[in-house]
Amino acid sequence: MAPSRFTLALLGALSWACLDGSARGAEAPSSAATAFSIRAGSLDSALEALARQCRTQIIYDPALVAQLRSGGLQGQLAPARALARLLRGSGLRAEAVNANTFLLRRRPPRTAPLRRAAAPERRAAATELAAVHVTGSHIPRSDLDVVTPSPLTLIGREQIETSGHQTLFELLRLQPGMIGHHPVDVAADGGQGVQQPFAAAATTSLNALGPRATLFLIDGRRVANYGLISADLGGLLDLDGIPLSIVERVEILRGGASAIYGADAMAGVVNIILKKHQDGGEIIGRLGRSSRGDADEQRLSFSHGAQTPRGGSVLVAADYFRREALFGAQRAWRTMDHRRHGLGDWRIPLGYRGVDGRLAQPACAPGAGAGALVEGCLLDIPRFLTLQPASERLSLYGHLEQPVGGSVSWSADVRASEASQQLRGAPFHGRVSVPSGHPDAVPGAPVLDYAFFDVGPVRNRSDTRTLDASTGLNGLLGGWEWSATASHHRNSVTSRIDGLVRDTAFTQAVHAHAYRFNVAAGAQANPASVLAAISPRVTARGTTVLNQLSFGINGRGFSLPAGATRLAAGAEFGRDALRHRPDPLMLEHDLALSPQKISIDTHRYSSALFAEINLPLLARVQADVALRLDRRQGYGSKRSPKLGVKWNVVDSLTFRGTAATGYRAPSLFELRRPNVFERLAFVLENEAVAPCAISIPIDVGISYCLVTLGAHENPDLRPETSRSHTLGMVWAPSRRFSLSLDHFRIQRRNEILPGSALDDLAAFPQSLQRDEAGRLIGIDQYFENVGRSDVRGWELDAQYALDTVRYGRYSLRLSGHHLQRLERRARPNAPVLDQAGHRAPDRSALASLQWDYADWRTTLNLRSLGPSQVAAAGQPCPAANLAAGRCRTPGSTTFDVDLQYAGVADWRFGLNVRDIGDRHPLNFDVAKGGYDIAHDDPRGRFFLLSAAYRF
């Protein structure tokens, strides 16, 4: 919408005070009751008087109120109620954007009168409210900033409801430009620890830079990360731990934002805004089930809000969610048998192998494949794996705002949750040596590819407790607003894993002939005591704590010819702590095919100073300049500047751009080692590795070193740094239509990546491990600042709305993302590879068409993904794929529909159908087992029924 077509009815900006009518002239927040005295006259004048008499912003198009009259208003009311009375009979409605801001819109035309219903009024689409959101800035906008310098995506409550998504992770992972990190994939550390599910969090990331480059905030504040460490991804925020029922909106700021929020904001910021205000109570029940009769889920939500006696407000909410597990065996496409695509059978043959490595004799336990597709002793791992974890979550939330005298207001928030999540993997499997004297030994075939069906599949249960609490004061001092906030955040996780194999116990049992291979259940089965000894329960615990203090102030500054500047400044202090307690077997490295874990019990202090200024350089040109100084214990200080400019060329066209630097200091989660299974290996002996402790001559002048391949931690990591730029335009020729197009580029340096001397000795000089005599005994992997990334792409957002007299209101929205280039260099001497479109789509789009008619709201959603190359960047198409003509996985398009009916007093009913066409996932990358866990929904067609009651 064009800025010049709107009026902000707050002539005194943020410096005007709400009059309490008691002769003190005390200032109070806009949620407090106010003594209004407004004369009859034009509605425009009445709205201006209301805004002046209380510190409230009212945003509207002057054409909406032209020729409209008001009978005036006398009495003591809260601003929201006063505004509603002024608008009676006007055909307009006020939509609360936040506690101090309202947006006026025309009520949708209807062909028949609505029944009286207490269902909440539907809010404007999130992007229409962009003018009043301030993610990416510490300066509250007192004027209608329709266009922000940085691209900003807003997902409002209405979009959340019509999406049909039940978790925040599902909602965000489908947004264009975002990649989902599924709890199954996180638990397996990206496939490296597939047999040891561990940190089962769910998160997302922006612009293919991973979750360490995306900063997640809740109500503008950092929160504690998930309590367990992902060796592949580091510290994560578990999005599934935040119930969607208490989320008011989500704001996604794209591009570097370290100048505003500090570390970790190199790719962008996701700010999750929780509900703060509600008039009355609401109970919502939801039931979901796939068209195949599985993947059931239930949700029951309660919330109630009210005004407090002194003009404040309180909101309490509770949410219970339960979801049934879904396994690979429940979907035919989840398999390593790709013969249906001409790509061969990649299931694992179980049995004895000779010294030449060939299968000599198949062998598997009778009945081992029951329900798991093990045919002819072929182990099909994806059939066992979890597609959707079984989960159960209970969340409680409370928010309180209360005036405490004068212009000061006190607020407090508490959110507590308990969650249980269960994952399942294939039975533990690997290659074991069978002693020649063992009863199950096969002459000439000493090696057995074996799966431990007798100890059952690998199973993981994670129990998580989360507590977030904050309290703060805010008020006015002269013409300045100030705030002070203290917060405490804690996340504790207990992870229990069954079905793993203890190395020492298994070796002893085999050599004592106490453990037999491939025995049937019954009298000949291995004794329970033996199975308990070789496969004990493994338990890991982790706790993260984050304590924060913040102070801020903002207001009008000096004047320029084009207007007054606006300033913001503040300080932040924090202490984050991590306690990680792996199971003793993990510490002792006594679990088969498992990387060693370490105990961590440490903390770190941080502090920051920030300042920001908005400069009206010319009548149509504004600049935002921000500077932040961060100091983290152990990493010194870091300055992060940012410049944003927007040029309103004409009323309907604005150009915008930003330039910023960013950084990410290694967190406490970085004290880890790469996932490496220690083993012996032969390495060619040369000047770089000589002398060797064990040297084996092969030929004249040629010898190999026998070394141990392992891993260690690197305590000397340095911060990653980045530079980012955005350049775009916003075209809004009318109230009905707007289009934004932005190009972004993010360059990341000193990227923390794993490697060893086998990759590049110059890049990993600490990799070679030598004995006291200086002889080589091992080669370790570790994390080092060696990588570089250069990401470029485009973001598109378009909206169109049409109001009709007879057929209701139509709204169309389209958003898209194109990853133009994703250049990565793993180390200084490595080639630069463009990974865009390789093994993941390089473009995606979301579109929605919404129709409001009488008591009905119908929304059709479309999601489209582009194709992807099967081969990794710089690699040729695999031979099997090349022969079958399957070098590229085709793109996909899915459709959802949402129906809502509000024609019964106090009730709202809904039906959401996900994936109407019941698309079967398709992926020609044989390693992925039939689908892409980051993008595909394994449930297929899914039905969700909902009923909401307002009281």
Side-chain angles (χ1 to χ4, degrees), residues 827-901:
R827 50 193 179 276
N829 296 322
V832 176
L833 301 176
D834 183 6
Q835 299 181 5
H838 288 268
R839 311 195 75 176
D842 61 358
R843 53 188 180 271
S844 58
L846 281 179
S848 66
L849 175 62
Q850 186 170 288
W851 178 32
D852 290 283
Y853 181 79
D855 297 316
W856 291 89
R857 165 164 289 173
T858 304
T859 306
L860 179 66
N861 295 310
L862 173 149
R863 182 185 183 233
S864 180
L865 292 173
S868 61
Q869 298 293 328
V870 171
Q875 300 294 322
C877 179
N881 293 79
L882 186 62
R886 306 288 194 181
C887 290
R888 189 175 74 162
T889 297
S892 64
T893 301
T894 56
F895 294 89
D896 310 331
V897 67
D898 181 83
L899 301 174
Q900 293 188 23
Y901 176 69

Coordinates of all heavy atoms in Angstrom, one line a residue, residues 827-901:
R827 N 38.0 -25.5 2.2 CA 39.3 -25.1 2.9 C 40.0 -24.3 1.8 O 39.7 -24.2 0.6 CB 40.1 -26.4 3.2 CG 40.2 -27.4 2.2 CD 40.7 -28.7 2.7 NE 40.8 -29.7 1.6 CZ 39.8 -30.5 1.2 NH1 38.6 -30.3 1.8 NH2 39.9 -31.3 0.2
P828 N 41.1 -23.6 2.3 CA 41.7 -22.6 1.4 C 42.2 -23.2 0.0 O 42.1 -22.5 -1.0 CB 42.9 -22.1 2.2 CG 42.5 -22.3 3.6 CD 41.6 -23.5 3.6
N829 N 42.7 -24.4 0.0 CA 43.2 -24.9 -1.3 C 42.2 -25.8 -2.0 O 42.5 -26.4 -3.0 CB 44.4 -25.8 -1.0 CG 45.6 -24.9 -0.4 OD1 45.8 -23.8 -0.8 ND2 46.3 -25.5 0.5
A830 N 40.9 -25.8 -1.5 CA 39.9 -26.6 -2.2 C 39.2 -25.8 -3.3 O 39.2 -24.6 -3.3 CB 38.9 -27.1 -1.2
P831 N 38.6 -26.5 -4.3 CA 37.9 -25.7 -5.3 C 36.6 -25.1 -4.8 O 36.0 -25.6 -3.8 CB 37.6 -26.8 -6.4 CG 37.6 -28.1 -5.6 CD 38.6 -27.9 -4.5
V832 N 36.2 -24.0 -5.5 CA 34.9 -23.4 -5.2 C 33.8 -24.1 -5.9 O 33.9 -24.2 -7.2 CB 35.0 -21.9 -5.5 CG1 33.6 -21.3 -5.3 CG2 36.0 -21.2 -4.7
L833 N 32.8 -24.6 -5.2 CA 31.7 -25.4 -5.8 C 30.4 -24.7 -5.6 O 30.1 -24.2 -4.5 CB 31.6 -26.8 -5.2 CG 32.9 -27.7 -5.3 CD1 32.7 -29.0 -4.5 CD2 33.2 -28.0 -6.8
D834 N 29.6 -24.6 -6.7 CA 28.3 -24.0 -6.7 C 27.3 -25.1 -6.3 O 27.0 -26.0 -7.2 CB 28.0 -23.3 -8.0 CG 26.6 -22.6 -7.9 OD1 26.0 -22.6 -6.9 OD2 26.2 -22.1 -9.0
Q835 N 26.8 -25.1 -5.1 CA 25.9 -26.2 -4.7 C 24.4 -25.9 -4.9 O 23.6 -26.7 -4.6 CB 26.2 -26.5 -3.2 CG 27.6 -26.9 -2.9 CD 27.8 -27.2 -1.4 OE1 26.9 -27.2 -0.6 NE2 29.0 -27.6 -1.1
A836 N 24.1 -24.8 -5.5 CA 22.7 -24.4 -5.7 C 22.0 -25.5 -6.6 O 22.6 -25.7 -7.7 CB 22.6 -23.0 -6.3
G837 N 20.9 -26.0 -6.2 CA 20.2 -27.0 -7.0 C 20.8 -28.4 -7.0 O 20.2 -29.3 -7.6
H838 N 21.8 -28.7 -6.2 CA 22.4 -30.0 -6.0 C 21.9 -30.6 -4.7 O 22.1 -30.1 -3.6 CB 23.9 -30.0 -6.0 CG 24.5 -29.6 -7.3 ND1 24.9 -30.6 -8.2 CD2 24.8 -28.4 -7.9 CE1 25.4 -30.0 -9.3 NE2 25.3 -28.7 -9.2
R839 N 21.2 -31.7 -4.9 CA 20.6 -32.5 -3.7 C 19.6 -31.8 -2.9 O 19.1 -32.3 -1.9 CB 21.8 -33.0 -2.8 CG 22.9 -33.7 -3.6 CD 23.8 -34.4 -2.7 NE 23.2 -35.7 -2.3 CZ 23.8 -36.6 -1.6 NH1 25.1 -36.4 -1.1 NH2 23.2 -37.7 -1.2
A840 N 19.2 -30.6 -3.4 CA 18.1 -29.9 -2.8 C 17.6 -28.9 -3.8 O 18.4 -28.3 -4.6 CB 18.6 -29.1 -1.5
P841 N 16.3 -28.5 -3.8 CA 15.8 -27.6 -4.8 C 16.4 -26.2 -4.6 O 16.7 -25.8 -3.5 CB 14.2 -27.5 -4.4 CG 14.0 -28.8 -3.7 CD 15.2 -29.1 -2.9
D842 N 16.5 -25.5 -5.7 CA 17.1 -24.1 -5.6 C 16.0 -23.1 -5.7 O 16.3 -21.9 -5.7 CB 18.1 -23.9 -6.7 CG 17.6 -24.1 -8.1 OD1 16.4 -24.4 -8.2 OD2 18.4 -23.9 -9.1
R843 N 14.7 -23.5 -5.8 CA 13.7 -22.5 -5.8 C 12.4 -23.1 -5.2 O 12.2 -24.3 -5.3 CB 13.4 -22.0 -7.3 CG 13.1 -23.1 -8.3 CD 13.1 -22.5 -9.7 NE 12.8 -23.5 -10.7 CZ 13.8 -24.2 -11.4 NH1 15.1 -23.9 -11.0 NH2 13.5 -25.0 -12.3
S844 N 11.6 -22.2 -4.6 CA 10.4 -22.7 -4.0 C 9.4 -21.5 -4.0 O 9.8 -20.3 -4.1 CB 10.6 -23.1 -2.6 OG 11.2 -22.1 -1.8
A845 N 8.1 -21.8 -3.9 CA 7.1 -20.8 -3.9 C 5.9 -21.2 -3.1 O 5.6 -22.4 -3.0 CB 6.6 -20.5 -5.4
L846 N 5.2 -20.3 -2.5 CA 4.0 -20.5 -1.8 C 2.9 -19.5 -2.4 O 3.2 -18.3 -2.6 CB 4.1 -20.2 -0.3 CG 4.7 -21.3 0.6 CD1 4.8 -20.7 2.0 CD2 3.9 -22.5 0.6
A847 N 1.7 -20.0 -2.6 CA 0.6 -19.1 -3.1 C -0.6 -19.5 -2.3 O -0.8 -20.6 -1.9 CB 0.4 -19.3 -4.6
S848 N -1.5 -18.5 -2.1 CA -2.7 -18.7 -1.4 C -3.8 -17.8 -2.0 O -3.6 -16.7 -2.4 CB -2.6 -18.4 0.1 OG -2.4 -17.1 0.4
L849 N -5.0 -18.4 -2.1 CA -6.2 -17.7 -2.6 C -7.2 -17.8 -1.5 O -7.7 -18.9 -1.2 CB -6.7 -18.2 -3.9 CG -8.0 -17.7 -4.5 CD1 -7.8 -16.2 -4.7 CD2 -8.4 -18.4 -5.7
Q850 N -7.7 -16.7 -1.0 CA -8.6 -16.7 0.1 C -9.9 -16.0 -0.3 O -9.9 -15.0 -1.0 CB -8.0 -16.0 1.3 CG -8.9 -16.1 2.6 CD -8.1 -15.6 3.8 OE1 -7.2 -16.2 4.3 NE2 -8.5 -14.4 4.2
W851 N -11.0 -16.6 0.0 CA -12.4 -16.1 -0.3 C -13.2 -16.0 0.9 O -13.5 -17.0 1.6 CB -13.0 -17.0 -1.3 CG -14.4 -16.6 -1.8 CD1 -14.9 -15.3 -1.9 CD2 -15.5 -17.5 -2.1 NE1 -16.2 -15.4 -2.3 CE2 -16.6 -16.7 -2.5 CE3 -15.6 -18.9 -2.3 CZ2 -17.8 -17.2 -2.9 CZ3 -16.8 -19.4 -2.7 CH2 -17.9 -18.6 -3.0
D852 N -13.6 -14.7 1.3 CA -14.5 -14.5 2.4 C -15.9 -14.2 1.9 O -16.1 -13.2 1.1 CB -14.0 -13.3 3.2 CG -12.7 -13.6 4.0 OD1 -12.8 -14.2 5.0 OD2 -11.6 -13.1 3.5
Y853 N -16.8 -15.0 2.3 CA -18.2 -14.9 1.8 C -19.1 -15.2 2.9 O -19.1 -16.4 3.4 CB -18.4 -15.8 0.6 CG -19.8 -15.7 0.0 CD1 -20.1 -14.6 -0.8 CD2 -20.8 -16.6 0.3 CE1 -21.4 -14.5 -1.4 CE2 -22.1 -16.6 -0.3 CZ -22.4 -15.5 -1.1 OH -23.6 -15.4 -1.6
A854 N -20.0 -14.3 3.3 CA -20.9 -14.5 4.4 C -20.2 -15.0 5.7 O -19.2 -14.5 6.1 CB -22.1 -15.4 4.0
D855 N -20.6 -16.2 6.2 CA -20.0 -16.8 7.3 C -18.8 -17.7 7.0 O -18.3 -18.4 7.9 CB -21.1 -17.6 8.1 CG -22.2 -16.7 8.6 OD1 -21.8 -15.6 9.1 OD2 -23.3 -17.0 8.5
W856 N -18.4 -17.8 5.8 CA -17.4 -18.8 5.3 C -16.1 -18.1 5.0 O -16.1 -16.9 4.5 CB -17.9 -19.5 4.1 CG -19.1 -20.5 4.4 CD1 -20.4 -20.2 4.4 CD2 -19.0 -21.8 4.8 NE1 -21.1 -21.3 4.7 CE2 -20.3 -22.3 5.0 CE3 -17.9 -22.7 5.0 CZ2 -20.6 -23.6 5.4 CZ3 -18.2 -24.0 5.4 CH2 -19.5 -24.4 5.6
R857 N -15.1 -18.8 5.2 CA -13.8 -18.4 4.7 C -13.1 -19.6 4.1 O -13.0 -20.7 4.8 CB -12.9 -17.8 5.8 CG -11.4 -17.8 5.4 CD -10.6 -16.9 6.4 NE -10.9 -15.5 6.2 CZ -10.5 -14.5 7.0 NH1 -9.7 -14.8 8.0 NH2 -10.8 -13.3 6.7
T858 N -12.7 -19.5 2.8 CA -12.1 -20.7 2.1 C -10.8 -20.2 1.6 O -10.6 -19.2 1.0 CB -13.0 -21.0 0.9 OG1 -14.3 -21.4 1.4 CG2 -12.4 -22.3 0.2
T859 N -9.8 -21.0 1.9 CA -8.4 -20.7 1.5 C -7.8 -21.9 0.8 O -7.8 -23.1 1.3 CB -7.5 -20.4 2.7 OG1 -8.1 -19.4 3.5 CG2 -6.1 -20.0 2.3
L860 N -7.3 -21.7 -0.4 CA -6.5 -22.7 -1.2 C -5.1 -22.3 -1.2 O -4.7 -21.2 -1.6 CB -7.1 -22.7 -2.6 CG -6.4 -23.7 -3.6 CD1 -6.6 -25.1 -3.1 CD2 -6.8 -23.5 -5.0
N861 N -4.2 -23.2 -0.7 CA -2.8 -23.0 -0.6 C -2.1 -23.9 -1.6 O -2.4 -25.1 -1.7 CB -2.3 -23.3 0.8 CG -2.9 -22.4 1.9 OD1 -2.8 -21.1 1.7 ND2 -3.4 -22.9 3.0
L862 N -1.0 -23.4 -2.2 CA -0.2 -24.1 -3.1 C 1.2 -24.0 -2.7 O 1.7 -22.9 -2.3 CB -0.4 -23.5 -4.5 CG 0.5 -24.1 -5.6 CD1 -0.2 -24.0 -7.0 CD2 1.8 -23.2 -5.8
R863 N 2.0 -25.1 -2.7 CA 3.4 -25.1 -2.5 C 4.1 -25.8 -3.6 O 3.8 -26.9 -4.0 CB 3.7 -25.8 -1.2 CG 5.2 -25.8 -0.8 CD 5.5 -26.6 0.4 NE 7.0 -26.5 0.7 CZ 7.8 -27.5 0.9 NH1 7.3 -28.7 0.8 NH2 9.0 -27.3 1.2
S864 N 5.1 -25.1 -4.2 CA 5.9 -25.6 -5.3 C 7.3 -25.7 -5.0 O 7.9 -24.7 -4.5 CB 5.6 -24.8 -6.6 OG 6.3 -25.3 -7.7
L865 N 8.0 -26.8 -5.3 CA 9.4 -26.9 -5.2 C 10.1 -27.2 -6.6 O 9.5 -27.9 -7.4 CB 9.8 -28.1 -4.2 CG 9.4 -27.9 -2.8 CD1 9.7 -29.2 -2.0 CD2 10.3 -26.8 -2.2
G866 N 11.2 -26.7 -6.8 CA 11.9 -26.9 -8.1 C 12.6 -28.2 -8.1 O 12.7 -28.9 -7.1
P867 N 13.2 -28.6 -9.2 CA 13.9 -29.9 -9.3 C 15.3 -29.8 -8.6 O 15.7 -28.7 -8.3 CB 14.1 -30.1 -10.8 CG 14.1 -28.7 -11.4 CD 13.1 -27.9 -10.5
S868 N 16.0 -30.9 -8.5 CA 17.3 -30.9 -7.9 C 18.2 -31.9 -8.5 O 17.7 -33.0 -8.9 CB 17.2 -31.1 -6.4 OG 16.6 -32.4 -6.1
Q869 N 19.4 -31.7 -8.7 CA 20.4 -32.6 -9.2 C 20.7 -33.7 -8.1 O 20.9 -33.4 -7.0 CB 21.7 -31.9 -9.6 CG 21.5 -30.9 -10.7 CD 21.1 -31.5 -12.0 OE1 21.5 -32.6 -12.4 NE2 20.3 -30.8 -12.8
V870 N 20.8 -34.9 -8.6 CA 21.1 -36.0 -7.7 C 22.5 -36.0 -7.2 O 22.8 -36.2 -6.0 CB 20.8 -37.4 -8.3 CG1 21.3 -38.5 -7.5 CG2 19.3 -37.5 -8.6
A871 N 23.4 -35.6 -8.1 CA 24.8 -35.6 -7.7 C 25.2 -34.4 -6.8 O 24.6 -33.3 -7.0 CB 25.7 -35.6 -9.0
A872 N 26.2 -34.6 -6.0 CA 26.7 -33.4 -5.2 C 27.4 -32.5 -6.1 O 27.9 -32.9 -7.2 CB 27.6 -33.9 -4.1
A873 N 27.6 -31.2 -5.7 CA 28.3 -30.3 -6.6 C 29.7 -30.7 -6.8 O 30.4 -31.2 -6.0 CB 28.3 -28.9 -5.8
G874 N 30.1 -30.7 -8.1 CA 31.5 -31.1 -8.5 C 31.6 -32.6 -8.8 O 32.7 -33.0 -9.1
Q875 N 30.5 -33.3 -8.6 CA 30.6 -34.8 -8.8 C 29.7 -35.1 -10.0 O 28.7 -34.5 -10.3 CB 30.0 -35.5 -7.6 CG 30.8 -35.3 -6.3 CD 32.3 -35.8 -6.4 OE1 32.5 -36.9 -7.0 NE2 33.2 -35.0 -5.9
P876 N 30.1 -36.2 -10.8 CA 29.3 -36.6 -11.9 C 28.0 -37.3 -11.4 O 28.0 -37.8 -10.3 CB 30.2 -37.5 -12.7 CG 31.1 -38.1 -11.6 CD 31.3 -37.0 -10.6
C877 N 27.1 -37.4 -12.3 CA 25.9 -38.2 -12.0 C 26.3 -39.6 -11.7 O 27.0 -40.2 -12.5 CB 24.9 -38.1 -13.2 SG 23.4 -39.1 -12.9
P878 N 25.8 -40.3 -10.6 CA 26.1 -41.7 -10.3 C 25.8 -42.6 -11.5 O 24.8 -42.3 -12.2 CB 25.3 -42.0 -9.1 CG 25.0 -40.7 -8.4 CD 24.9 -39.7 -9.6
A879 N 26.6 -43.6 -11.7 CA 26.4 -44.5 -12.8 C 25.0 -45.1 -12.9 O 24.5 -45.1 -14.0 CB 27.5 -45.6 -12.8
A880 N 24.5 -45.5 -11.8 CA 23.1 -46.1 -11.9 C 22.1 -45.1 -12.3 O 21.2 -45.4 -13.1 CB 22.8 -46.7 -10.5
N881 N 22.2 -43.9 -11.8 CA 21.3 -42.8 -12.2 C 21.4 -42.4 -13.7 O 20.5 -42.2 -14.4 CB 21.4 -41.6 -11.3 CG 21.1 -41.9 -9.9 OD1 21.8 -42.5 -9.1 ND2 19.9 -41.4 -9.5
L882 N 22.7 -42.4 -14.1 CA 23.0 -42.0 -15.5 C 22.4 -43.0 -16.4 O 21.8 -42.7 -17.5 CB 24.5 -41.9 -15.7 CG 24.9 -41.3 -17.1 CD1 24.4 -39.9 -17.3 CD2 26.4 -41.4 -17.2
A883 N 22.6 -44.3 -16.1 CA 22.0 -45.4 -17.0 C 20.5 -45.4 -17.0 O 19.9 -45.7 -18.1 CB 22.5 -46.8 -16.4
A884 N 19.9 -45.0 -15.9 CA 18.4 -45.0 -15.9 C 17.8 -43.7 -16.3 O 16.6 -43.5 -16.3 CB 17.9 -45.4 -14.5
G885 N 18.7 -42.7 -16.6 CA 18.2 -41.4 -16.9 C 17.5 -40.7 -15.8 O 16.5 -39.9 -15.9
R886 N 18.0 -40.9 -14.6 CA 17.5 -40.3 -13.3 C 18.5 -39.4 -12.6 O 18.7 -39.5 -11.4 CB 17.0 -41.4 -12.4 CG 16.1 -42.5 -13.0 CD 14.7 -42.0 -13.2 NE 13.8 -43.0 -13.5 CZ 12.5 -42.8 -13.7 NH1 12.0 -41.6 -13.7 NH2 11.7 -43.9 -13.9
C887 N 19.1 -38.5 -13.4 CA 20.1 -37.6 -12.8 C 19.5 -36.4 -12.1 O 20.2 -35.7 -11.4 CB 21.1 -37.2 -13.8 SG 22.2 -38.5 -14.4
R888 N 18.2 -36.2 -12.3 CA 17.6 -35.1 -11.6 C 16.2 -35.5 -11.1 O 15.4 -36.1 -11.8 CB 17.4 -33.9 -12.7 CG 16.9 -32.6 -12.1 CD 16.8 -31.5 -13.1 NE 15.7 -31.7 -14.0 CZ 15.2 -30.7 -14.7 NH1 15.8 -29.5 -14.7 NH2 14.2 -30.9 -15.5
T889 N 16.0 -35.2 -9.8 CA 14.7 -35.4 -9.2 C 13.8 -34.3 -9.6 O 14.1 -33.1 -9.5 CB 14.8 -35.4 -7.6 OG1 15.6 -36.5 -7.2 CG2 13.5 -35.5 -7.0
P890 N 12.6 -34.6 -10.2 CA 11.7 -33.6 -10.6 C 11.1 -32.7 -9.5 O 11.1 -33.2 -8.3 CB 10.6 -34.4 -11.4 CG 10.6 -35.7 -10.7 CD 12.1 -36.0 -10.4
G891 N 10.6 -31.5 -9.9 CA 10.0 -30.7 -8.9 C 8.6 -31.2 -8.5 O 8.1 -32.2 -9.0
S892 N 8.0 -30.6 -7.5 CA 6.7 -31.0 -7.1 C 5.8 -29.9 -6.7 O 6.3 -28.8 -6.4 CB 6.9 -31.9 -5.8 OG 7.4 -31.2 -4.7
T893 N 4.5 -30.1 -6.8 CA 3.5 -29.1 -6.4 C 2.4 -29.8 -5.6 O 1.9 -30.8 -6.0 CB 2.9 -28.4 -7.6 OG1 3.9 -27.8 -8.4 CG2 1.9 -27.4 -7.2
T894 N 2.1 -29.2 -4.4 CA 1.0 -29.8 -3.6 C 0.0 -28.7 -3.3 O 0.3 -27.5 -3.3 CB 1.6 -30.4 -2.3 OG1 2.3 -29.3 -1.6 CG2 2.5 -31.5 -2.5
F895 N -1.2 -29.1 -3.0 CA -2.3 -28.2 -2.7 C -3.0 -28.6 -1.4 O -3.1 -29.8 -1.1 CB -3.4 -28.3 -3.8 CG -2.9 -27.8 -5.2 CD1 -2.4 -28.7 -6.1 CD2 -3.1 -26.5 -5.6 CE1 -1.9 -28.2 -7.3 CE2 -2.7 -26.0 -6.8 CZ -2.1 -26.9 -7.7
D896 N -3.3 -27.5 -0.7 CA -4.1 -27.7 0.6 C -5.3 -26.8 0.5 O -5.3 -25.8 -0.2 CB -3.3 -27.3 1.8 CG -1.9 -27.9 1.8 OD1 -1.7 -29.0 1.3 OD2 -1.0 -27.2 2.4
V897 N -6.4 -27.2 1.3 CA -7.5 -26.3 1.3 C -8.0 -26.2 2.8 O -7.8 -27.2 3.6 CB -8.7 -26.9 0.5 CG1 -9.2 -28.3 1.0 CG2 -9.8 -25.9 0.3
D898 N -8.4 -25.0 3.1 CA -8.9 -24.8 4.5 C -10.3 -24.1 4.4 O -10.5 -23.1 3.7 CB -7.9 -23.9 5.3 CG -8.4 -23.6 6.7 OD1 -8.1 -24.5 7.5 OD2 -9.0 -22.6 6.9
L899 N -11.2 -24.7 5.2 CA -12.6 -24.2 5.3 C -12.9 -23.8 6.7 O -12.6 -24.5 7.6 CB -13.6 -25.2 4.8 CG -13.5 -25.8 3.4 CD1 -14.5 -26.9 3.2 CD2 -13.7 -24.7 2.4
Q900 N -13.4 -22.6 6.9 CA -13.8 -22.1 8.2 C -15.2 -21.6 8.2 O -15.6 -20.8 7.2 CB -12.8 -21.1 8.8 CG -11.4 -21.6 9.0 CD -10.6 -20.6 9.7 OE1 -11.1 -19.6 10.4 NE2 -9.3 -20.7 9.6
Y901 N -16.0 -21.9 9.2 CA -17.4 -21.5 9.3 C -17.7 -20.8 10.6 O -17.4 -21.5 11.7 CB -18.3 -22.6 9.0 CG -19.8 -22.3 9.2 CD1 -20.4 -21.5 8.3 CD2 -20.6 -22.8 10.3 CE1 -21.8 -21.1 8.4 CE2 -21.9 -22.5 10.4 CZ -22.5 -21.7 9.5 OH -23.8 -21.3 9.6

